[in-house]
């Protein structure tokens, strides 16, 4: 589909801009300050402002035409990166500009998700389209930093930032010329800011679905966050560390490709909860402090269970009213990024008091308990929806209740 191809290519350019700019900015801040703390803070600022942008700005996604939002967000990112290139820009402003990009990112991502439903419909094409974009995002973890590293051997950090400003501009141009103009989905009657957010979260099924999107990444990021300390704990090389860092995204890509290519929509729906609740069980393999092969296998298996998101995407787009779709998807993506930051921070704190392999194995236990609770809430939300429908209540468009679970 031509319009989806445009969105896909624009996503690729925008994503490369984000990944390379993060790397280049981290190197630039370290060169200017020689401070590991400020350098690492540059990465952390990519997570924390998501919560602000996702809650306070989410209403824009339904009150403004989606193409306008996408183009303006890309232009804002390009402008922020262009200011980073200016030699006179102080470190404090560099970090503030990094925050600004992170604030608009959930608005951009949520709007793009909602636009996919407009382009591809609410059925299987939407699920597969979302999966393809996720695969590109995971692949960026494997290739984006490599591209950035090569680029930084040729040009200084500010030169690399200038290149990423160009990738954001290309994305904006593609979206402006290659996607259709669509009207805003809602009138803003649901409110703005936190009141509008609560208007979405009053729907118990939507809350339960968001919880199922948020809980797995909260625990899944723990081994990645502790990969370097674990490599040091077992005394392996940096090459082995690279293998540990790659295993989870490779597993995720493999699981999504297999599920999208070979499983029917009905089967993808049936495996959502089994895969989700067992997603961090492979981390129990860390208990005996395994070597790199077994640890990498555990991470690969955990990543492969991420195939549950295909079926979960279908449930989510069916459960959310169209006029709230942009806001709901913005909240969902903002929550996923925020919980990853929380998970990384929590992993670091826990590793101060216990060996890394114990922390990861404990994550497998605690995460599974929390996922079972989230799955029970999702089942209860489905049952509540069936009860209301049976009493004459109106079920949201596309809702299938327990038959989908």
């Amino acid at each position: 589909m031509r319009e989806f191809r445009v969105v896909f290519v624009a996503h690729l350019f925008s994503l490369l801009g984000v990944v390379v700019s993060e790397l280049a900015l981290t190197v630039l801040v370290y060169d200017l300050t020689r401070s590991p703390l400020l350098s690492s803070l540059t990465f952390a600022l990519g997570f924390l402002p998501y919560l602000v942008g996702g809650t306070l700005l989410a209403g824009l996604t339904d009150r403004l035409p989606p193409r306008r939002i996408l183009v303006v967000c890309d232009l804002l990112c390009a402008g922020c990166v262009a200011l980073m290139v200016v030699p006179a820009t102080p470190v404090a402003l560099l970090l503030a500009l990094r925050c600004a990009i992170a604030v608009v990112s959930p608005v951009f991502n949520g709007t793009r998700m909602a636009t996919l439903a407009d382009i591809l419909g609410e059925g299987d094409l939407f699920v597969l389209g979302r999966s393809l974009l996720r695969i590109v995002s995971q692949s960026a973890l494997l290739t984006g930093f490599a591209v950035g590293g090569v680029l930084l051997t040729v040009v200084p950090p500010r030169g690399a930032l200038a290149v990423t400003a160009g990738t954001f501009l290309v994305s904006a141009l593609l979206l402006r010329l290659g996607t259709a103009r669509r009207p805003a989905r809602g009138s803003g009657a649901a409110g703005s800011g936190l009141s509008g957010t609560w208007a979405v979260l009053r729907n118990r099924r939507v809350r339960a679905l968001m919880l199922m999107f948020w809980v797995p990444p909260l625990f899944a990021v723990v081994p990645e966050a502790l990969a370097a300390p674990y490599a040091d704990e077992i005394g392996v090389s940096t090459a082995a560390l690279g293998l540990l860092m790659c295993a989870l995204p490779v597993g995720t890509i493999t699981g999504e490709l297999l599920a999208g290519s070979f499983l029917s929509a009905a089967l993808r729906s049936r495996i959502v909860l089994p895969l989700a609740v067992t997603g961090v069980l492979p981390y129990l393999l860390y208990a005996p402090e395994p070597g790199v092969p077994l640890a990498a296998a555990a991470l690969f298996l955990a990543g492969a269970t991420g195939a549950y998101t295909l079926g979960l995407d279908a449930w989510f787009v069916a459960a959310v009213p169209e006029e709230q779709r942009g806001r709901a998807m913005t909240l969902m993506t903002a929550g996923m990024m925020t919980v990853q930051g929380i998970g990384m921070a929590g992993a670091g704190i826990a590793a101060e008091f216990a060996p890394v392999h114990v922390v990861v194995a404990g994550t497998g236990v605690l995460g599974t308990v929390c996922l079972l609770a989230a799955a029970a809430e999702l089942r209860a939300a489905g049952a509540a929806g069936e009860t209301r429908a049976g009493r004459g209540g109106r079920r949201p468009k596309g809702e299938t209740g327990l038959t989908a679970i």
Side-chain angles (χ1 to χ4, degrees):
M1 300 181 68
R2 188 198 65 83
E3 194 173 6
F4 175 76
R5 289 199 301 271
V6 171
V7 173
F8 182 88
V9 175
H11 174 63
L12 182 60
F13 275 97
S14 181
L15 189 63
L16 283 175
V18 170
V19 173
V20 176
S21 66
E22 285 180 350
L23 180 59
L25 183 60
T26 301
V27 174
L28 177 60
V29 169
Y30 185 73
D31 286 346
L32 293 174
T33 65
R34 313 309 296 180
S35 169
L37 174 61
L38 289 176
S39 180
S40 62
L41 182 62
T42 305
F43 269 116
L45 290 175
F47 290 96
L48 302 179
Y50 256 77
L51 184 61
V52 177
T55 53
L56 299 183
L57 302 180
L60 296 176
T61 58
D62 292 320
R63 294 204 302 271
L64 297 174
R67 186 177 68 179
R68 184 188 306 171
I69 295 174
L70 294 173
V71 172
V72 169
C73 285
D74 265 335
L75 293 177
L76 286 173
C77 290
C80 289
V81 175
L83 288 175
M84 295 176 187
V85 177
V86 179
T89 305
V91 172
L93 183 54
L94 290 174
L95 297 178
L97 292 169
R98 178 70 185 94
C99 284
I101 293 175
V103 167
V104 302
S105 290
V107 178
F108 180 87
N109 293 333
T111 303
R112 185 180 58 212
M113 278 182 62
T115 302
L116 277 185
D118 297 331
I119 296 172
L120 303 176
E122 299 179 5
D124 208 39
L125 282 180
F126 168 79
V127 172
L128 296 177
R130 276 276 295 144
S131 178
L132 278 173
L133 294 187
R134 274 197 303 269
I135 288 171
V136 170
S137 298
Q138 290 293 329
S139 300
L141 296 176
L142 303 176
T143 61
F145 288 121
V147 171
V150 172
L151 187 60
L152 287 171
T153 65
V154 180
V155 297
R158 293 190 193 274
L161 287 169
V163 172
T164 63
T167 64
F168 285 121
L169 291 175
V170 170
S171 175
L173 184 64
L174 287 170
L175 292 170
R176 175 61 182 83
L177 300 180
T179 59
R181 185 185 185 280
R182 295 178 173 86
R185 292 179 188 84
S187 62
S192 60
L194 296 178
S195 63
T197 298
W198 177 240
V200 173
L201 296 179
R202 275 199 296 266
N203 184 323
R204 184 182 181 185
R205 180 164 172 79
V206 171
R207 289 201 310 271
L209 288 167
M210 284 193 179
L211 195 64
M212 190 55 71
F213 274 111
W214 294 342
V215 175
L218 173 65
F219 297 99
V221 298
V222 169
E224 285 187 307
L226 299 177
Y230 186 68
D232 182 64
E233 182 178 291
I234 62 177
V236 297
S237 65
T238 54
L241 171 61
L243 178 61
L244 292 176
M245 293 294 290
C246 290
L248 190 68
V250 168
T252 303
I253 293 169
T254 303
E256 292 223 21
L257 281 174
L258 292 176
S261 301
F262 299 110
L263 301 184
S264 66
L267 184 55
R268 289 198 298 266
S269 182
R270 285 198 292 271
I271 65 174
V272 169
L273 293 186
L275 285 183
V277 299
T278 58
V280 294
L281 274 180
Y283 292 172
L284 294 178
L285 294 175
Y286 270 76
E289 196 177 23
V292 172
L294 186 57
L299 294 173
F300 179 87
L301 289 174
T305 64
Y308 78 89
T309 53
L310 278 78
L312 197 62
D313 278 336
W315 295 356
F316 192 72
V317 75
V320 177
E322 184 176 356
E323 65 274 10
Q324 295 179 334
R325 186 176 293 158
R327 183 192 294 268
M329 291 183 173
T330 299
L331 290 171
M332 186 263 284
T333 55
M336 288 180 67
M337 290 298 293
T338 301
V339 298
Q340 288 180 70
I342 294 172
M344 290 179 178
I349 294 171
E352 290 290 326
F353 301 97
V356 174
H357 70 282
V358 173
V359 174
V360 178
T363 298
V365 176
L366 179 62
T368 301
V369 171
C370 293
L371 284 165
L372 286 169
E377 170 60 18
L378 183 54
R379 284 186 176 275
E386 288 291 332
T387 301
R388 287 194 298 271
R391 293 174 179 173
R394 182 179 179 273
R395 183 184 300 164
K397 182 180 178 182
E399 182 91 23
T400 55
L402 284 175
T403 59
I405 302 178

